[in-house]
Amino acid sequence: MTLTADLVIATAVAYVGLLFVIAYLGDRQTRRGAASFLRSPFVYTLSISVYCTSWTFYGAVGTAARSGLEFLTIYLGPTLVFVGWWFILRRLVRISHDQRITSIADLLSSRFGKSSRLAVLITVLAVIAIAPYIALQLKAITSSIEAIAGSSEFGRGSLEGWDEVGLAFGVAAGMALFTILFGTRNVDAKEQHHGVVAAIAFEAVIKLTALIAVGIFVVYIGGGMDTIFADAARVGIDVHASNTFGDRWIAMLVLSAAAVICLPRQFQVTVVENSNENHLRTASWAFPAYMLAMSVFTLPIALFGLTFMPVGSNPDMFVLTLPLAQGQDWLALFAFIGGFSSATSMIILESIALSIMVSNHIVVPIMLRLTSGDGIGEGKGVRRLILNARRLSIVLILFLGFGYFYFTRTSDALAPIGLISFTGVAQFLPAILASLFWRDASARAAIAAVAVGFVVWLWSSLMPSFASSSSLVADVLANGPWGIAWLRPQALFGLDGLDPLTHAVFWSLFLNATVLILGSLASNQSALEHVQAALFLNVFRRTSTDAASMTGSATADDLFLVARRVLGHDRAVDLFSEEARIAGTPWSALEPSPAFIRKLERELAGSIGAASAHVMLSKVVSGDSISLEEVMQITDETQQAIEYSQELERTSTQLRATAEKLEQANRQLRRVDLQKDEFLSQVSHEVRTPMTAIRAFSEILLDEPGLDSTSRDRFMTTIHRESLRLTSLLDEILDLSALERGERAWENRRLDAEDTLDQAIRVCDALARQSAMTIRLGPRAERAIVRADPDRLSQVLINLISNAIKYNRAAEPEVEVRSRCQDGTYIIEVEDNGTGIDAAERERIFEKFYRGDHIATAGNAGAGLGLPISREIVARMNGTLELIATARAGACFRVSLPMAEPGARA
Amino acid sequence: MEARGTGGGVLALDVLIAEDEPSILEALDFVLKKAGWTIGSVMDGEVVVDTVRRLRPRMLVLDVMLPKRSGFEVLKQIRADASTAKLPVLVLTAKGQQQDRRVAEELGADIFVTKPYSNVEVVEAVRSLLGDPADKRAGA
């Protein structure tokens, strides 16, 4: 078999046809819901490997041949992202699903307050930045066809008369046609293209297999890895020689890491086409593994080619030319298909992604602006318009790529062209990171930052690539515009001596990030930005749906018209039927709730982007005169009011608690005060009573000189007695007060209480004889050791016995005193045979100044403090004093004291 | 407890004293008799109203702190009964507080005297309530 251009082109067309069949089957299976394998994490991972384009397929070997290990950075960057920054991707996916994000421009526009300007800027930048990349693919395909065509005498076949440019144009046109057929058959609600993804996954397998096949072949004919390395070393090729691990490495790592997030097609496959967040888990190791497999044979192929291919061979084509040189035509054809599939998958996806951005962010907004409020196209106008816009975009994108190819065709290396695109899309990275993690980033700052980065990129990265085709550019490069040296594109602001790539990356990203940060700090966010920023930041915490983005109301008919035009009749009917079913009303009576309008907006956003969906619905929803800003302001104020009132509530709760405590303390104080008043009032009464008698009799004695001596003596005795009563009253008051305060020096010591009792009985004996009564001794304990103050105990006993004597008015008055030890307690009882004390009075007799009625009748009344004092004293000796009921009528007081030596005597 | 009319059974009683402190009662009895009035006395609150109805004294000297029934309760009863409502009452109290004085006035006490009092003060008060010169009788 002889490989000719005709055969190769025929094979390529057949291959494209196969892809089309796969995509068609994939779509059909998905519609049936049967294609579960299409939703597997491995298909997802394979589709992500669209990252590996013909640049990597051919160019990695070229890079390895020219710059040694540098080619690895292109793989290391994405590996770092997928392994280490997995959470960023997860966040992106979650946000995009929640917000129905359709592209990277949509993502940034949505985050920054659904800003149309930002979306347009990102779209334009992306289209321009990707042009070199498309050109790269065209160049790779063209070069590979040329390589095969040039390999034999009749190789050109029907290509005779076509030059490289013509061939590239043909490829571009073919690709445009193919992509239009592939990607713009319908406008999907979620912009997911399962068929395309299936085809891309298939291509991923093809390109990997082809590359590995070539690799194994090369290792086989080279005599093994070791031999290849040894041969290379022998002819003086050192892969470690050139500028390894320098600033260029860092720049390329940054670029490739940024690219795998920012490239429109990567965003499309990784985020938009993602059907399950968990697939990211698999991709986080499988994608790096895929890249590793892609790069295993890069170095052997490069070294083998450098060693054995004729000097001057294009190292970018080694993958193809090595099998050709060895006469392995089938393998070469397979390699060509591998490279071709790398290029087609990239071109298809990239143009689909870009065309979505162009139609959603540029064409639809212009259309919305051109049409009046009520008429938004006719019938299926919007859908057809969108599809046509996309078709046109694809043609434009490929034409731009071709244009770039045309102007830079004299430069032959593939890799630098790719890096120009990488640097361009990396300008999105600061804004993306800010949108994910920085609440205060503002739309104005983001627009300025991306614009600044874009301009620097144009100047220092894109423009220099035209140097070989334009003498003007070459002059600017060498001397700066108008001879201004510090504006030289590759030595901006005097930063000379850096690698041009590093230089461009540094200045563009540095200025970009600086403008973003300073601009955000200096500017304010609009209300919608504020809302969206919160939604993005809290994407993993949010439970309720997003804040109301539409106020006002619309009729179901108006909304249906909009929905049908954008989503298509079937989908619109589905949506409204479901809403009608949920609302439980017939279609005609449906009143769209704000929630439904929100849902509709999200559905529309899935087709035409957040900003356009927002504008479109705003035209239909008859907004109240109140603007969103005002609503936000009201919300903010309400929030502040709520916080303030919560604070007030807290404060007032504290105040209430404090007030309650104060109230309590106050009540207690009042009670104490009342008790004190009561006490003073009683003291006053008790003092005034003897004083009254003393004063009255003194006056009588003074006023009646002629008083008989009997009366005189009698009155003087009364005065004397009342004076004594007064004194003892005051003593008792002081005594009680001291006892209650507990200030009095008090000494409880071990003593025999029987001795104290004997002593008290002896003291009272005289009083008893005076009153003509007897103190009868009952049964006694022989010895009772207690801990007590002897004088105080004696005071209590004398008080009890003398009370029993004084207030006993029985005909034959009698007091019985008895004592015993019982269960570790020493008990003394003093019982009289008087009239006794009423049950009602039993407790009251221990109150201060209380005197039973029986006492009042006795002339020699005390102040009523004796019993309270006695009870207080006994309590201080850890004992009790109580009035107990006995069989007999008289009163019986009992003193109980704990014994210090319980076992002494029972 | 029996009320005693010291001025003889037939003679109308001028003053009934309700006081539980024996020595104060003795002093009052001495002073008022000396001034020429006939005196009766009771020593607890329960019997005051009965004694007033029975002996029909021209006035009552009433201590507030009486056993069994307080002087204020007694006063209330006396004012409530039509037959005794007009009886002049002199209230004696040892508490000497503003509140007691107010309660006494509200209940219809005619004069309020705080212990310890001077004998002259009480005599003058009783004279003003009885409205006659005591010395005239004393001289009789």
Side-chain angles (χ1 to χ4, degrees):
Chain A
M1 187 198 79
T2 310
L3 277 183
T4 64
D6 288 343
L7 177 63
V8 167
I9 291 169
T11 310
V13 171
Y15 175 74
V16 167
L18 176 65
L19 287 186
F20 198 84
V21 170
I22 291 174
Y24 176 75
L25 290 178
D27 271 342
R28 211 174 64 167
Q29 293 287 87
T30 311
R31 259 199 301 281
R32 282 196 197 155
S36 61
F37 75 93
L38 283 183
R39 293 180 185 273
S40 88
F42 290 101
V43 168
Y44 175 66
T45 305
L46 285 175
S47 70
I48 291 177
S49 65
V50 73
Y51 176 78
C52 302
T53 66
S54 62
W55 169 20
T56 29
F57 193 86
Y58 295 120
V61 171
T63 309
R66 293 189 193 93
S67 317
L69 290 175
E70 190 184 280
F71 77 93
L72 279 178
T73 52
I74 297 300
Y75 299 116
L76 283 177
T79 303
L80 288 179
V81 170
F82 270 79
V83 175
W85 280 14
W86 189 75
F87 62 96
I88 288 192
L89 296 174
R90 193 166 69 113
R91 197 169 255 267
L92 273 176
V93 168
R94 174 71 66 86
I95 289 171
S96 300
H97 284 185
D98 280 359
Q99 304 284 315
R100 298 291 176 97
I101 297 296
T102 59
S103 67
I104 196 152
D106 200 19
L107 174 88
L108 290 176
S109 145
S110 176
R111 156 61 179 82
F112 292 103
K114 305 190 178 176
S115 158
S116 304
R117 262 189 288 177
L118 185 59
V120 170
L121 179 65
I122 300 284
T123 303
V124 169
L125 206 169
V127 167
I128 295 176
I130 292 305
Y133 212 166
I134 303 271
L136 174 62
Q137 311 305 320
L138 295 178
K139 192 180 178 75
I141 295 175
T142 313
S143 301
S144 62
I145 295 176
E146 291 279 340
I148 288 177
S151 66
S152 61
E153 200 180 337
F154 307 103
R156 298 197 73 81
S158 53
L159 273 185
E160 205 65 59
W162 287 55
D163 64 352
E164 193 192 31
V165 175
L167 184 58
F169 186 80
V171 172
M175 281 295 157
L177 183 67
F178 180 52
T179 309
I180 288 170
L181 289 176
F182 240 100
T184 62
R185 283 171 302 150
N186 56 359
V187 181
D188 189 88
K190 284 163 73 183
E191 287 300 358
Q192 290 193 338
H193 308 75
H194 299 288
V196 174
V197 168
I200 299 297
F202 173 74
E203 295 206 274
V205 177
I206 293 294
K207 66 191 175 195
L208 180 63
T209 316
L211 193 58
I212 288 179
V214 172
I216 290 174
F217 168 72
V218 165
V219 171
Y220 172 73
I221 60 165
M225 290 267 191
D226 294 344
T227 319
I228 290 173
F229 277 84
D231 287 346
R234 196 160 32 77
V235 295
I237 301 162
D238 183 2
V239 289
H240 303 290
S242 52
N243 192 24
T244 315
F245 303 118
D247 52 352
R248 196 175 154 83
W249 265 67
I250 296 170
M252 287 183 62
L253 265 183
V254 170
L255 280 186
S256 56
V260 85
I261 296 174
C262 302
L263 277 171
R265 70 170 191 281
Q266 291 305 133
F267 191 87
Q268 179 77 27
V269 289
T270 312
V271 178
V272 180
E273 304 282 355
N274 177 292
S275 54
N276 184 338
E277 237 175 72
N278 289 324
H279 289 176
L280 271 176
R281 271 179 219 282
T282 309
S284 70
W285 61 264
F287 178 52
Y290 182 93
M291 289 190 296
L292 185 68
M294 283 293 280
S295 59
V296 163
F297 292 106
T298 303
L299 213 48
I301 295 173
L303 290 176
F304 188 79
L306 282 177
T307 315
F308 293 103
M309 292 297 281
V311 178
S313 305
N314 183 356
D316 283 331
M317 285 296 136
F318 278 167
V319 175
L320 199 56
T321 52
L322 275 175
L324 277 175
Q326 299 293 323
Q328 296 289 330
D329 286 356
W330 284 112
L331 184 61
L333 186 62
F334 191 29
F336 168 77
I337 293 298
F340 184 69
S341 73
S342 312
T344 49
S345 55
M346 179 276 174
I347 291 177
I348 293 168
L349 260 187
E350 201 80 83
S351 0
I352 289 176
L354 286 175
S355 72
I356 290 171
M357 286 162 67
V358 170
S359 72
N360 284 358
H361 301 304
I362 297 178
V363 179
V364 173
I366 290 174
M367 176 196 76
L368 286 174
R369 193 158 297 183
L370 292 181
T371 54
S372 59
D374 46 8
I376 306 167
E378 285 300 319
K380 291 185 173 178
V382 173
R383 285 166 59 72
R384 194 180 306 130
L385 190 89
I386 290 173
L387 284 180
N388 284 334
R390 287 186 187 178
R391 286 166 188 151
L392 201 67
S393 314
I394 290 169
V395 172
L396 171 83
I397 289 157
L398 279 162
F399 180 75
L400 271 181
F402 172 76
Y404 186 85
F405 167 82
Y406 180 79
F407 284 112
T408 61
R409 63 191 179 281
T410 44
S411 161
D412 53 349
L414 295 178
I417 307 177
L419 290 173
I420 291 171
S421 286
F422 275 24
T423 313
V425 294
Q427 303 312 317
F428 305 154
L429 188 66
I432 289 177
L433 292 180
S435 75
L436 294 184
F437 299 109
W438 192 28
R439 186 185 293 273
D440 297 332
S442 75
R444 265 184 277 177
I447 291 171
V450 172
V452 164
F454 184 45
V455 168
V456 174
W457 171 78
L458 279 178
W459 187 252
S460 66
S461 186
L462 183 67
M463 193 181 71
S465 67
F466 294 103
S468 59
S469 58
S470 161
S471 58
L472 178 68
V473 171
D475 178 59
V476 169
L477 221 53
N479 306 315
W482 307 288
I484 304 171
W486 59 270
L487 275 181
R488 275 177 301 160
Q490 296 184 338
L492 276 178
F493 312 114
L495 186 67
D496 216 340
L498 267 186
D499 175 80
L501 175 73
T502 315
H503 173 269
V505 171
F506 170 74
W507 276 121
S508 60
L509 283 181
F510 172 72
L511 293 176
N512 183 333
T514 306
V515 168
L516 180 61
I517 292 169
L518 296 182
S520 295
L521 293 178
S523 61
N524 289 325
Q525 288 180 323
S526 74
L528 194 52
E529 267 182 270
H530 201 69
V531 171
Q532 292 294 102
L535 286 179
F536 271 51
L537 273 184
N538 302 333
V539 66
F540 289 110
R541 271 186 276 144
R542 199 158 52 84
T543 50
S544 63
T545 51
D546 42 359
S549 49
M550 287 282 174
T551 58
S553 57
T555 67
D557 286 349
D558 286 345
L559 288 175
F560 181 73
L561 277 179
V562 173
R564 198 182 60 177
R565 279 164 196 160
V566 177
L567 303 172
H569 184 77
D570 294 348
R571 178 79 192 119
V573 169
D574 283 354
L575 262 179
F576 278 74
S577 308
E578 194 191 339
E579 175 65 10
R581 191 176 50 75
I582 291 170
T585 53
W587 252 76
S588 50
L590 187 63
E591 279 190 13
S593 62
F596 179 65
I597 297 178
R598 268 205 301 281
K599 184 178 171 191
L600 195 59
E601 188 185 341
R602 289 209 310 160
E603 287 288 335
L604 294 182
S607 288
I608 55 174
S612 298
H614 191 69
V615 172
M616 198 161 187
L617 271 190
S618 305
K619 291 194 166 192
V620 183
V621 175
S622 63
D624 297 348
S625 55
I626 192 164
S627 74
L628 185 59
E629 267 74 9
E630 286 169 314
V631 172
M632 287 303 299
Q633 201 178 346
I634 292 167
T635 316
D636 275 357
E637 282 168 6
T638 312
Q639 185 61 28
Q640 279 173 2
I642 289 170
E643 280 167 13
Y644 182 63
S645 79
Q646 279 170 345
E647 200 173 312
L648 275 182
E649 204 173 314
R650 273 197 297 280
T651 314
S652 77
T653 310
Q654 284 171 347
L655 276 179
R656 253 206 309 281
T658 312
E660 216 159 275
K661 275 187 216 155
L662 273 177
E663 181 69 25
Q664 239 172 351
N666 214 3
R667 271 201 300 274
Q668 196 160 351
L669 273 178
R670 271 204 298 272
R671 201 165 52 238
V672 170
D673 194 46
L674 218 64
Q675 282 174 350
K676 192 201 72 183
D677 278 356
E678 187 67 16
F679 181 75
L680 279 180
S681 159
Q682 276 173 335
V683 166
S684 163
H685 179 263
E686 295 304 320
V687 172
R688 279 166 192 271
T689 302
M691 286 290 287
T692 306
I694 291 170
R695 183 173 178 183
F697 283 116
S698 309
E699 282 179 5
I700 291 169
L701 289 174
L702 286 172
D703 293 345
E704 307 287 339
L707 206 62
D708 61 283
S709 65
T710 319
S711 298
R712 180 175 295 266
D713 286 351
R714 181 178 158 76
F715 293 167
M716 298 250 271
T717 308
T718 303
I719 289 173
H720 183 242
R721 194 182 61 233
E722 293 295 332
S723 308
L724 289 180
R725 180 179 159 193
L726 196 53
T727 311
S728 77
L729 170 71
L730 292 176
D731 285 345
E732 282 179 358
I733 288 171
L734 287 177
D735 199 18
L736 185 66
S737 157
L739 277 172
E740 283 183 338
R741 275 205 308 275
E743 280 172 1
R744 184 92 164 225
W746 186 279
E747 197 192 358
N748 276 342
R749 55 183 172 85
R750 285 165 56 88
L751 55 87
D752 187 349
E754 282 291 291
D755 291 348
T756 315
L757 181 56
D758 285 339
Q759 209 177 328
I761 292 170
R762 272 199 300 280
V763 170
C764 294
D765 217 24
L767 182 64
R769 270 200 298 277
Q770 219 174 15
S771 308
M773 71 185 292
T774 44
I775 297 179
R776 207 149 61 83
L777 292 181
R780 295 281 304 273
E782 279 176 14
R783 187 164 174 273
I785 305 299
V786 297
R787 295 191 59 82
D789 183 308
D791 294 342
R792 285 301 191 168
L793 183 55
S794 180
Q795 179 186 347
V796 170
L797 296 174
I798 290 171
N799 179 249
L800 290 179
I801 297 169
S802 62
N803 277 353
I805 294 168
K806 275 192 276 185
Y807 304 127
N808 191 333
R809 281 174 285 111
E812 287 176 21
E814 191 177 273
V815 182
E816 181 177 303
V817 178
R818 53 182 183 263
S819 66
R820 64 181 191 276
C821 295
Q822 183 183 324
D823 301 334
T825 307
Y826 173 59
I827 294 169
I828 303 169
E829 284 171 355
V830 178
E831 185 171 13
D832 62 50
N833 62 346
T835 46
I837 297 166
D838 292 347
E841 285 185 303
R842 290 244 159 97
E843 265 313 301
R844 297 195 63 197
I845 58 167
F846 292 105
E847 288 174 10
K848 290 167 208 164
F849 301 114
Y850 183 80
R851 280 170 295 174
D853 290 336
H854 67 289
I855 293 171
T857 56
N860 199 5
L865 287 175
L867 281 176
I869 288 174
S870 295
R871 181 170 255 202
E872 194 73 30
I873 289 171
V874 176
R876 295 283 289 266
M877 295 188 268
N878 303 314
T880 54
L881 169 62
E882 58 206 323
L883 176 65
I884 59 168
T886 59
R888 282 179 279 179
C892 179
F893 288 89
R894 173 188 284 173
V895 177
S896 310
L897 290 172
M899 293 176 67
E901 288 174 19
R905 182 78 169 86
Chain B
M1 183 124 327
E2 187 61 24
R4 315 171 273 252
T6 35
V10 270
L11 205 66
L13 197 58
D14 288 322
V15 182
L16 177 67
I17 304 173
E19 168 65 67
D20 63 324
E21 274 290 327
S23 47
I24 296 177
L25 180 56
E26 188 181 357
L28 279 173
D29 183 71
F30 181 89
V31 171
L32 295 179
K33 266 187 196 150
K34 191 83 184 166
W37 292 298
T38 51
I39 306 298
S41 69
V42 288
M43 290 186 76
D44 79 57
E46 249 171 9
V47 297
V48 179
V49 177
D50 279 350
T51 313
V52 166
R53 287 201 187 115
R54 194 158 44 79
L55 299 181
R56 298 254 155 220
R58 294 172 63 208
M59 70 160 290
L60 174 66
V61 173
L62 181 63
D63 184 30
V64 174
M65 290 286 282
L66 285 176
K68 292 183 184 166
R69 188 168 293 170
S70 85
F72 288 141
E73 277 177 67
V74 172
L75 179 57
K76 210 194 256 177
Q77 254 181 307
I78 285 172
R79 289 290 179 251
D81 188 337
S83 62
T84 56
K86 295 268 165 36
L87 181 72
V89 176
L90 184 158
V91 169
L92 283 178
T93 177
K95 285 197 174 176
Q97 277 172 333
Q98 210 54 40
Q99 197 183 343
D100 279 5
R101 179 182 291 272
R102 210 178 57 239
V103 172
E105 278 166 8
E106 274 169 16
L107 289 176
D110 295 281
I111 291 184
F112 185 90
V113 172
T114 308
K115 294 175 184 175
Y117 47 82
S118 79
N119 291 341
V120 178
E121 185 185 357
V122 175
V123 171
E124 287 304 318
V126 170
R127 181 171 293 137
S128 74
L129 286 179
L130 290 179
D132 55 15
D135 295 298
K136 194 172 65 186
R137 279 180 176 235

